[in-house]
Amino acid sequence: MNYRSDIRNIAIIAHVDHGKTTLVDAMLKQSKVFRNNQVVGELIMDQNALEREKGITIMAKNTAVVYQGVKINIIDTPGHADFSGEVERVVSMADGCLLLVDSIEGPMPQTKFVLRLAMEMGLKPIVVINKVDRRNSRIAEVLKLTEDLFLELAISADQLDFPVLYASAREGTAVTELGMKGKDIAPLFECILEKVPPPKIESGPFQMLVSNLDYDSHKGKIAIGRIWRGKVAPHDLVVSVGADGSVTHYEISEVFTYLGLKHLKVEEAEAGDIVAVTGLDKVNIGDTIASPEQPEALPRIEIGEPTVEMTFGVNTSPFAGREGRFCTTRQLRARLYRELETNLSLRVQDTDSPDTSLVKGRGELHLAILVETMRREGYEFEVSRPEAITKIVDGTLVEPVEVLTIDTKDEYIAVLTEMLSKRQAQLTDMRSDGHDNVRLVFHVPTKGLIGFRNAFSTATRGESTMNAIFLSYEPYHGDIISTRNGVLAASEQGIAVTYGLNNAQGRGFTFIEPGTLVYEGMIVGLNSRPKDIAINVCKEKKKTNIRSSTSDIAIKLTPPIQLSLEQAIGFINNDELVEVTPGNIRLRKKLLTQGQRLRNSSSSRRSVKKQPI
């Protein structure tokens, strides 16, 4: 067994908002991979528009820097629990990991998840306590909590011997001892070279595991992964070994390595390198690319099961086909199945209806990002309310349960506890820092978290944060009764006017502005009472024979509530849908006419009465 001392492969893992991407910025800038006059901005690795808008990393990405003649391949991973499949997919390429921990929040649920994964993979960890320059940081306590986490998760004794650095990613500094004055990020580079083991090189012909896919309009599909054995060069003959053991023959077109944000075309790459190769048009993530001389498959990437599902269907509203470029069943299904090539934690299956597909993911945000991505690509469709995935285990119905961590103020404890108790949550831990800040930890069924984030932000006035991660499957806790009020549904098709909306605001809150096109059954507001109401927002003020210059003074409307896509998905009930188009996000009833809804309600009540007591 040989080692390549000129390479280090490292993954950066942490909870969301703990500063991973900012730290990668500092590493890229200080390693001089950019020209001195090159403007690169902030959050360099978050090049996707959605990532920049939401301030989170969604897709795992590769980059590399060179320090003292050693190439450091860096894998930037998502921090949000809904995208943990991305971490599972790429962490196998690394030999070590930087575990970032916020100096105030400390270890969070996602921190525990990714650290357990790193321990199981045998990665050498380096702990970086970030944001040490913040005024209210609690570094000593956070370090103690991190040590406790290692004691809980460590598989071998040597994993407890980890170095600790103290960093300010925003300032681009890192130090080995608390209290030292930071100058640059060099101590972090030195620690990586010293503590992260170089890649092991096995003898034998070429072998590589595909961990990611990219696409180029000229080069076609690009397979990304780490070479575990041998060498690869353009025009080499290789085979790919699929999930079912099938073997397909290819010729490598081009080989690329990474440096900064660039793909560097190379004549040859060796074991230990992280590369991108072209010429393999049907390869999938998890496949092994190997030499025809020894076509052995590497262990496939194991991805956890999805916990939430929702239906994607062709738009059936009266406005269908007006705004989207891709509106048909065939186009929608093709796009969903194409997503499976790169989104390993997603599942798609057909339903009894030919126009509807069932899509399963890791959480509301995971599915909402897919919906938003498709909307921006020009797709027009409708989605249902997310539901937790239940299953039968040993004859018992079980459902997913998550650990919910809330950082809030003392004044919100009562209201949050009351809200969550109605969602079948159980308080398992509560800790206060003595300065009006408290951390609450709940075990709550996944179905209880659907639609909770909107209510949470309102109840805490945006002054609190919540994070959840999958815990386990437990026996079904029973149904949760919706506490949402009824909605205001348009009673006819037309254009909403000020006079009609003013009447609607007498019943509750509105979601639309004057001049908005509406159709019968479209949800235009939230009722102040529990029942749904059909209301005519297109109704104009009746004209009279006597008119004066002051008779039509403009009516002042309360500004409408603007729901984002995520809020809309969490807002709807089971009898409602979200209509998604490139230009609009509309809420609607599944049954559009008032007559249909009344008949359905009556038949539902009759069926309940017929059930035996």
Side-chain angles (χ1 to χ4, degrees):
M1 185 75 70
N2 297 318
Y3 294 86
R4 282 194 63 181
S5 58
D6 62 332
I7 283 184
R8 300 292 187 276
N9 295 321
I10 191 159
I12 301 186
I13 54 180
H15 193 79
V16 66
D17 286 337
H18 282 202
K20 289 187 314 318
T21 306
T22 306
L23 182 67
V24 175
D25 283 359
M27 297 173 75
L28 287 170
K29 291 176 180 177
Q30 294 188 30
S31 62
K32 305 298 182 182
V33 298
F34 303 116
R35 300 187 312 272
N36 291 333
N37 63 342
Q38 188 173 352
V39 179
V40 292
E42 305 295 328
L43 304 177
I44 301 168
M45 295 297 289
D46 286 348
Q47 297 178 328
N48 184 295
L50 271 175
E51 291 180 319
R52 287 189 168 272
E53 288 174 19
K54 295 185 177 296
I56 59 174
T57 300
I58 296 172
M59 301 292 292
K61 306 174 192 68
N62 297 84
T63 187
V65 300
V66 176
Y67 182 78
Q68 293 185 357
V70 178
K71 185 176 185 179
I72 302 174
N73 287 309
I74 301 170
I75 307 164
D76 184 21
T77 64
H80 199 286
D82 281 27
F83 307 105
S84 52
E86 290 290 305
V87 184
E88 295 169 310
R89 176 169 61 78
V90 299
V91 74
S92 61
M93 291 192 288
D95 298 299
C97 64
L98 294 184
L99 181 71
L100 252 70
V101 183
D102 189 285
S103 64
I104 298 175
E105 293 186 351
M108 297 292 283
Q110 179 73 355
T111 312
K112 184 174 182 178
F113 170 82
V114 294
L115 182 59
R116 178 185 287 111
L117 192 63
M119 294 291 195
E120 291 172 353
M121 299 292 294
L123 304 188
K124 178 66 177 178
I126 297 174
V127 174
V128 179
I129 298 180
N130 193 25
K131 306 182 184 181
V132 294
D133 54 337
R134 293 181 66 174
R135 186 168 50 186
N136 51 348
S137 61
R138 49 189 190 112
I139 300 170
E141 184 178 350
V142 166
L143 180 57
K144 177 65 169 60
L145 293 172
T146 305
E147 291 171 344
D148 292 344
L149 189 60
F150 270 83
L151 282 170
E152 179 185 348
L153 301 178
I155 296 174
S156 59
D158 62 326
Q159 290 178 331
L160 298 175
D161 181 23
F162 55 89
V164 181
L165 286 89
Y166 306 91
S168 171
R170 186 178 58 182
E171 299 296 328
T173 61
V175 295
T176 55
E177 298 289 339
L178 195 60
M180 292 176 61
K181 180 69 175 177
K183 297 180 180 179
D184 51 30
I185 212 77
L188 178 59
F189 286 133
E190 297 284 353
C191 187
I192 292 172
L193 297 190
E194 179 183 352
K195 298 295 182 180
V196 176
K200 297 178 182 179
I201 308 303
E202 297 183 28
S203 59
F206 173 66
Q207 189 183 43
M208 164 185 160
L209 181 67
V210 180
S211 298
N212 201 357
L213 291 176
D214 201 353
Y215 184 81
D216 184 270
S217 56
H218 298 290
K219 299 180 177 67
K221 186 177 285 188
I222 302 173
I224 301 168
R226 171 176 167 173
I227 302 175
W228 290 96
R229 194 175 66 193
K231 301 178 180 180
V232 66
H235 309 298
D236 281 356
L237 298 178
V238 297
V239 296
S240 70
V241 184
D244 57 356
S246 60
V247 175
T248 309
H249 291 260
Y250 296 103
E251 178 183 335
I252 298 291
S253 297
E254 295 175 305
V255 181
F256 299 88
T257 59
Y258 293 89
L259 183 63
L261 302 182
K262 298 178 181 178
H263 287 186
L264 300 181
K265 188 174 179 179
V266 294
E267 293 303 317
E268 185 180 74
E270 309 178 31
D273 281 323
I274 294 177
V275 298
V277 297
T278 63
L280 300 87
D281 58 342
K282 294 182 180 179
V283 74
N284 295 309
I285 293 176
D287 290 355
T288 298
I289 305 173
S291 168
E293 303 171 14
Q294 200 170 332
E296 299 173 342
L298 289 161
R300 292 189 72 84
I301 299 168
E302 297 292 334
I303 301 293
E305 295 182 17
T307 56
V308 174
E309 64 185 15
M310 64 194 298
T311 61
F312 283 55
V314 172
N315 189 9
T316 57
S317 84
F319 295 167
R322 293 189 181 185
E323 301 173 18
R325 289 190 295 127
F326 309 109
C327 309
T328 67
T329 303
R330 179 183 57 80
Q331 291 169 331
L332 181 62
R333 289 183 74 256
R335 175 62 180 84
L336 289 174
Y337 280 97
R338 190 165 67 248
E339 183 70 18
L340 297 179
E341 295 181 5
T342 55
N343 201 334
L344 289 194
S345 51
L346 200 73
R347 304 284 187 275
V348 178
Q349 69 183 59
D350 297 332
T351 65
D352 295 337
S353 170
D355 295 333
T356 305
S357 297
L358 186 64
V359 182
K360 303 178 181 182
R362 285 287 180 90
E364 278 184 276
L365 182 60
H366 184 205
L367 296 175
I369 291 294
L370 173 60
V371 173
E372 179 64 25
T373 302
M374 292 174 60
R375 183 175 83 90
R376 297 187 181 197
E377 291 173 0
Y379 286 85
E380 182 177 314
F381 53 100
E382 59 190 26
V383 297
S384 68
R385 175 180 171 84
E387 295 181 357
I389 299 173
T390 58
K391 57 184 181 179
I392 303 293
V393 177
D394 297 329
T396 302
L397 181 65
V398 296
E399 65 175 339
V401 174
E402 302 190 32
V403 177
L404 173 66
T405 303
I406 294 177
D407 289 309
T408 186
K409 303 285 186 183
D410 286 338
E411 62 183 292
Y412 301 126
I413 294 177
V415 64
L416 289 175
T417 304
E418 181 182 359
M419 289 170 60
L420 285 165
S421 64
K422 296 177 180 178
R423 295 171 177 263
Q424 302 176 346
Q426 294 181 340
L427 181 65
T428 60
D429 192 17
M430 180 171 68
R431 298 184 183 184
S432 175
D433 65 354
H435 300 286
D436 195 33
N437 299 310
V438 65
R439 173 169 291 181
L440 306 174
V441 180
F442 294 87
H443 287 182
V444 55
T446 298
K447 66 175 183 285
L449 291 177
I450 294 174
F452 174 69
R453 192 174 293 274
N454 296 343
F456 169 79
S457 299
T458 303
T460 60
R461 301 183 180 92
E463 297 179 348
S464 305
T465 59
M466 60 170 278
N467 296 281
I469 192 165
F470 173 73
L471 174 65
S472 64
Y473 275 89
E474 295 182 3
Y476 191 69
H477 291 67
D479 295 334
I480 295 177
I481 300 174
S482 175
T483 57
R484 196 204 73 184
N485 285 346
V487 296
L488 306 177
S491 60
E492 65 176 56
Q493 186 167 324
I495 300 175
V497 297
T498 302
Y499 184 77
L501 287 173
N502 185 56
N503 291 336
Q505 290 189 348
R507 301 278 191 165
F509 304 96
T510 54
F511 297 154
I512 62 172
E513 297 178 337
T516 303
L517 289 170
V518 299
Y519 53 81
E520 184 179 5
M522 177 174 158
I523 297 173
V524 296
L526 177 65
N527 191 8
S528 56
R529 297 179 180 275
K531 292 187 177 182
D532 297 341
I533 294 178
I535 194 161
N536 185 5
V537 292
C538 306
K539 183 180 180 181
E540 297 184 355
K541 186 176 181 181
K542 292 183 178 179
K543 296 180 180 179
T544 61
N545 291 330
I546 304 174
R547 307 192 63 169
S548 67
S549 60
T550 59
S551 63
D552 292 323
I553 296 175
I555 299 171
K556 291 186 178 180
L557 294 175
T558 304
I561 298 173
Q562 302 285 348
L563 295 180
S564 66
L565 176 61
E566 294 166 46
Q567 291 171 331
I569 291 173
F571 173 84
I572 58 174
N573 276 337
N574 292 331
D575 64 336
E576 297 162 355
L577 298 168
V578 178
E579 178 189 348
V580 182
T581 74
N584 289 284
I585 297 170
R586 303 183 182 98
L587 309 182
R588 52 161 289 189
K589 286 289 185 180
K590 285 184 179 178
L591 301 176
L592 293 179
T593 68
Q594 176 73 350
Q596 289 175 323
R597 296 196 293 272
L598 289 174
R599 284 193 295 273
N600 183 68
S601 177
S602 299
S603 61
S604 298
R605 285 196 296 268
R606 284 196 297 271
S607 63
V608 169
K609 288 179 181 179
K610 289 179 182 178
Q611 291 179 357
I613 299 175

